[in-house]
Amino acid sequence: MRELKFAENFVRLRKQFDMTQGDVAAYVGVSNSAVSKWEQGLSYPDLSLLPKLATLLDVTIDELLAMSRNLLISE
């Protein structure tokens, strides 16, 4: 099974909107270090934050998580 590519996708989207980690942290109500950990792949945002993050980055939750049907099918 393929891995989620959340960290790379999140960084790309954040930079596409010219936002800092601090901008994202302030919007969703977490620390800058939490956002940094997401981007390093050390942790993931709480599920309750996904709708807010998706709205901020103008994507669906599936797009935010870099989900695809291929992830659901074993290789």
Side-chain angles (χ1 to χ4, degrees):
M1 181 179 278
R2 295 181 189 179
E3 295 179 29
L4 287 177
K5 300 289 186 186
F6 173 80
E8 296 100 353
N9 196 42
F10 181 75
V11 171
R12 180 184 56 78
L13 289 166
R14 178 180 63 77
K15 289 180 178 181
Q16 179 179 322
F17 283 93
D18 199 29
M19 286 188 262
T20 65
Q21 290 178 346
D23 295 334
V24 174
Y27 183 81
V28 297
V30 298
S31 67
N32 290 8
S33 64
V35 176
S36 176
K37 287 179 183 179
W38 301 343
E39 292 189 357
Q40 295 174 61
L42 299 175
S43 67
Y44 294 100
D46 187 86
L47 290 175
S48 65
L49 298 177
L50 294 181
K52 202 167 195 177
L53 286 169
T55 299
L56 176 66
L57 299 170
D58 195 29
V59 294
T60 66
I61 292 173
D62 284 353
E63 291 168 327
L64 178 63
L65 296 175
M67 291 288 295
S68 72
R69 291 186 63 96
N70 293 337
L71 288 175
L72 305 175
I73 301 170
S74 60
E75 296 177 342

